[in-house]
């Protein structure tokens, strides 16, 4: 990494020539090392905060991390030039400039009046030069290279800020890791001096500042969605503050809807990487829903042609980008530990908060009135009873192999799901050839070659995968009772046979822990929450809690229902937030309505949901053709409301207030 400063220099060249001129100038200028020191130390290192660096580029995948900036040049009008070459220093300096933490002075100690940011991209040869002025520095000249590649609406003036922002926005759209999406988003907010907040105070500002064709295409999707009457122009829930635990597909989908309703939305995610390779089969309405949110703008290959699947990682990236661009606040590496009640001393009227880890994270101070548990099947939110559904022993194996995207690989047919009962010949031949005994198998060609299968215990024992036959399923599949190499071989053989040995190589992709991505797990038991919501009121503060996704209803994976029912539960939870926030319904009515809708969830199939996917909205009637919102009545959900307010206690106990006498009407069910 080389850094050089040159003083004094004055520019007589017209601005458009500057970008190509600067790197040349600095590559030929080589002052002695001692020349740097007086300038370097105070100028750069003293003002740098810990770097916010995106994760390193992994094999495959698209562009990740910061722009491959090879030169940062800071021209100083009438004073001199500071230039830094190489990454990550360039990136850090530019960040500090953008944040206004780094200021430049010329030799006479005067404040720099103009700071420019020049990046040279090595992959896509192009150059961008734009001016970004840190606060407190007067900018008297703005330059634009005029030959960067962003397309702007004809006639619209292009400010240097928006040119820099357009570049960062472009990279945000194509970023493919959790870290790089967050990195580019935060940089974008810095450049545009925006702070994520509720929809009405964030989205219109962002939209007005980004006008590239790509941005326009995304805004038109968002505008269409947000104009639905159920959001009331982002004013339906302006009084609500929502905390969502988990940035899995369902947590993010819930965040998007709550944000569109106008609530303030914060998501905490305990991980800092989206590392799940597994590929999800999506129901048609989910594909339609994601396309309406602009999925194709963020991931061009999204469900192209007849493809109806996506890797969890990509799905999370798409939803993350949508949520962020609408103004949702998302914190990575922050884990929800427990709820904190409103304090006894109510002088400051402090309400419900969460104890998060790390304890010094600012989100610990966030007060909310809605809490959504979207933290997957190991739900951490207390107060929700779970019921267990036990079936016969079922052992699933997932395996991900590297997709090198060769022509040979492209030709191999997917297996969108084949079960023993439908194709006994295939499974018998598999057993005869390999000793592998399966009940079903799925193969999707996505970012990886993804296989998922249900294996019979006896064949796992015979093939040496399971070491000892134990009664207790947990012990049976405990790592100490599993030979991982034999498991890898088992999965590889099954994959090879089922694709007629056509995949030229079967090298394992790596999982979250950097190990070959093969897993074996038990899905004999599945859990569902007994209730979808509850409400607690303490010291004048109500808290509405709800579960969504796997936390609410664990899916049976062969039906591919996880995301579909998960998204439905997200919409239903947001409909509940809307009812709660409207102030028109009593707490028990809100809870009863939510429980009425939850009763349908486990029965939903692609066939019995409404076929008009483009009309799906938060309104349950738009999705469930025969919904009865009063299937559960307020008096039946008294136990879900816990209050210390005497008036509300009265509501719970007074039969007249809760329609005690009105029993649910028996309805003839036609489908759902
Ligand atoms: C083998 C297999 C195959 C599957 N196939 C399909 C399929 O084909 N189609 C389909 O739709 N579904 C499928 N599923 C199910 C699908 O993966 C899930 O339904 C979906 O991922 C659920 O999303 P979620 O957001 O509810 O939970 P998750 O995806 O589990 O996300 C929960 C998030 O919460 C975070 N978290 C957890 N605890 C905390 C905490 N305390 N604080 C902060 N964050 C926390 C986690 O890190 C995680 O990011 C399959 C599942 C399996 C196991």
């Amino acid at each position: 990494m080389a850094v050089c400063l040159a003083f004094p220099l004055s520019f007589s060249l017209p601005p458009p020539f500057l970008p190509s001129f600067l790197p040349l100038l600095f590559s030929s200028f080589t002052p002695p090392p001692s020349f740097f020191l007086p300038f370097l130390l105070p100028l750069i290192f003293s003002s740098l905060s810990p770097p916010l660096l995106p994760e390193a580029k992994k094999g495959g995948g698209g562009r990740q991390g910061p722009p491959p900036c090879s030169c940062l040049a800071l021209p100083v009008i009438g004073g001199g030039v500071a230039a830094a070459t190489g990454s990550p220093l360039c990136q850090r300096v530019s960040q500090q400039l953008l944040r206004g933490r780094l200021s430049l002075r010329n030799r006479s100690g005067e404040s720099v009046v103009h700071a420019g940011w020049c990046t040279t991209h090595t992959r896509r040869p192009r150059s961008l030069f734009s001016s970004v002025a840190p606060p407190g520095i007067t900018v008297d000249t703005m330059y634009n290279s005029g030959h960067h590649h962003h397309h702007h609406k004809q006639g619209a003036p292009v400010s240097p800020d928006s040119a820099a922002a357009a570049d960062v926005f472009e990279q945000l759209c194509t970023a493919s890791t959790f870290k790089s999406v967050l990195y580019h988003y935060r940089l974008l907010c810095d450049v545009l001096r925006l702070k994520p907040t509720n929809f009405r105070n964030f989205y219109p500002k962002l939209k007005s500042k980004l006008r590239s064709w790509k941005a326009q295409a995304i805004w038109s999707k968002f505008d269409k969605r947000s104009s639905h009457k159920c959001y009331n122009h982002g004013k339906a829930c302006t009084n609500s503050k929502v905390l969502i635990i988990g940035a899995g597909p369902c947590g993010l989908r819930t965040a998007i809807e709550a944000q569109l309703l106008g609530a303030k939305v914060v998501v905490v995610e305990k991980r800092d990487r989206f590392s799940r390779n597994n590929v999800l089969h999506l129901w048609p309405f989910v594909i339609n829903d994601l396309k309406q949110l602009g999925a194709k703008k963020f991931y061009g290959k999204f469900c192209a042609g007849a493809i109806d699947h996506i890797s969890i990682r990509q799905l999370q990236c798409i939803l993350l980008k949508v949520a962020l661009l609408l103004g949702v606040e998302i914190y990575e590496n922050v884990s929800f530990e427990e709820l904190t009640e409103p304090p006894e001393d109510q002088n400051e009227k402090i309400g419900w908060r969460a104890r998060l880890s790390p304890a010094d994270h600012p989100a610990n101070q966030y007060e909310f009135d809605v809490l959504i548990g979207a933290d997957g099947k190991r739900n951490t939110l207390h107060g929700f009873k779970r019921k267990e559904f036990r079936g016969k022993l079922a052992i699933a194996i997932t395996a991900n192999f590297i997709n090198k995207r060769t022509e040979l690989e492209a030709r191999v047919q997917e297996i969108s799901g084949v079960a023993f009962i439908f194709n006994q010949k295939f499974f018998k031949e598999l057993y005869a050839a390999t000793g592998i005994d399966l009940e079903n198998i799925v193969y999707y060609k996505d970012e990886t070659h993804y296989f998922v299968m249900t294996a019979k215990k006896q064949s796992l024992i015979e093939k040496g995968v399971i070491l000892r036959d134990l009664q207790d399923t947990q012990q049976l599949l405990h790592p100490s009772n599993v030979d991982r190499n034999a498991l890898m071989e088992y999965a590889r053989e099954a994959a090879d046979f089922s694709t007629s040995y056509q995949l030229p190589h079967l090298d394992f992709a790596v999982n979250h822990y950097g190990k070959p991505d093969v897993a074996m797990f038990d899905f004999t038991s599945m859990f569902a929450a007994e209730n979808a919501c509850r409400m607690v009121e303490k010291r004048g503060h109500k808290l509405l809690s709800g579960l969504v996704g796997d936390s609410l209803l664990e899916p049976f994976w062969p039906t591919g229902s996880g995301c579909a029912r998960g998204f439905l539960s997200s919409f239903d939870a947001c409909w509940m937030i809307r009812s709660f926030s409207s102030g028109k319904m009593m707490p028990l009515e809100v809870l009863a309505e939510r429980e009425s809708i939850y009763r349908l969830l486990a029965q939903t199939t692609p066939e019995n949901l409404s076929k008009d996917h483009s009309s799906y909205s938060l309104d349950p009637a738009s999705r469930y053709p025969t919904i009865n919102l009063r299937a559960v009545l307020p008096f039946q959900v008294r136990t879900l409301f816990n209050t210390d307010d005497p008036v509300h206690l009265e509501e719970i106990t007074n039969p007249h207030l809760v329609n005690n006498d009105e029993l649910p009407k028996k309805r003839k069910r036609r489908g759902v």
Side-chain angles (χ1 to χ4, degrees), residues 43-65:
L43 177 68
I44 297 168
F45 294 106
S46 64
S47 55
L48 295 181
S49 59
L52 177 70
L53 295 177
E55 64 195 18
K57 198 168 164 59
K58 291 193 198 107
R63 289 180 63 191
Q64 298 168 8

Side-chain angles (χ1 to χ4, degrees), residues 197-200 234-242 255 257-266 327-328 366 369-370 577 581:
T197 180
N198 61 25
F199 179 74
R200 280 167 63 82
K235 287 186 285 189
C237 295
T238 38
N239 297 328
S240 293
K241 289 183 166 187
V242 183
E257 289 305 315
Q259 182 75 8
L260 288 169
L261 284 167
K264 177 167 171 62
V265 184
V266 173
V328 174
Y366 177 56
D369 59 354
V370 179
I577 299 173
S581 194

Side-chain angles (χ1 to χ4, degrees), residues 406-433:
T406 59
E407 221 174 282
L408 279 177
E409 286 167 279
R411 276 193 229 138
V412 182
Q413 291 285 310
E414 292 190 337
I415 307 169
S416 60
V418 38
F420 186 82
I421 44 167
F422 299 120
N423 198 339
Q424 299 197 8
K425 186 168 167 275
F426 168 83
F427 290 100
K428 281 182 178 157
E429 282 171 7
L430 169 68
Y431 185 66

Side-chain angles (χ1 to χ4, degrees), residues 24 65 87 109 130 164 208 234 255 281 296 330 349 360 362 368 377 398 406 511 536 563 566 644 655:
L24 280 176
S87 203
S130 59
S208 70
H281 168 254
K296 270 191 159 313
I330 299 179
K349 295 200 165 48
D360 59 353
F368 46 87
K377 61 181 180 185
T398 53
T406 59
N511 64 14
V536 193
C563 268
D644 62 359

Side-chain angles (χ1 to χ4, degrees), residues 147 225 262 280 448 506 533 567 569:
H147 55 84
R225 178 88 203 180
L280 306 181
T448 55
L506 283 167
C533 61
F567 277 24
S569 70

Side-chain angles (χ1 to χ4, degrees), residues 244-252 268-271 273-274 276 278-283 286 312 315-316 334-337 356 373-380 396-398 442 444 450 452 521 523 548-566:
I244 296 176
I245 312 167
C250 302
L252 291 169
V268 289
E269 167 55 53
K270 73 173 178 189
R271 297 190 182 199
R273 281 184 295 152
F274 291 157
R276 288 178 290 179
N278 288 357
V279 177
L280 306 181
H281 168 254
L282 303 177
W283 288 10
V286 176
I312 300 196
L315 176 60
Q316 282 176 284
V334 177
S335 182
F336 173 86
E337 302 294 334
L356 305 170
D375 46 349
K377 61 181 180 185
R378 286 183 207 92
N379 164 38
T380 46
I397 297 174
T398 53
V442 171
Y444 290 135
Y450 166 74
V452 55
F521 56 93
F523 64 100
V548 297
D550 283 10
S551 294
L552 180 65
L553 180 68
E554 206 184 318
F556 180 55
W557 74 260
T559 60
S561 59
C563 268
R565 291 190 183 147

Side-chain angles (χ1 to χ4, degrees), residues 5-16:
L5 298 171
F7 294 99
L9 282 172
S10 60
F11 296 114
S12 53
L13 285 171

Side-chain angles (χ1 to χ4, degrees), residues 185 195-204 222 225-226 230-238 240-242 244 251-267 319 321-330 366 570 574 577 618:
Y185 176 72
K195 254 186 78 156
T197 180
N198 61 25
F199 179 74
R200 280 167 63 82
N201 287 316
F202 181 83
Y203 173 66
F222 289 2
R225 178 88 203 180
S226 63
C230 67
Y231 306 118
N232 189 20
H233 308 287
K235 287 186 285 189
C237 295
T238 38
S240 293
K241 289 183 166 187
V242 183
I244 296 176
L252 291 169
R253 192 66 194 85
T254 311
I256 291 167
E257 289 305 315
Q259 182 75 8
L260 288 169
L261 284 167
K264 177 167 171 62
V265 184
V266 173
V267 179
L319 292 167
K321 290 171 195 174
V322 175
L324 290 171
L325 291 172
L326 294 172
V328 174
E329 269 178 61
I330 299 179
Y366 177 56
S570 296
C574 288
I577 299 173
L618 290 188

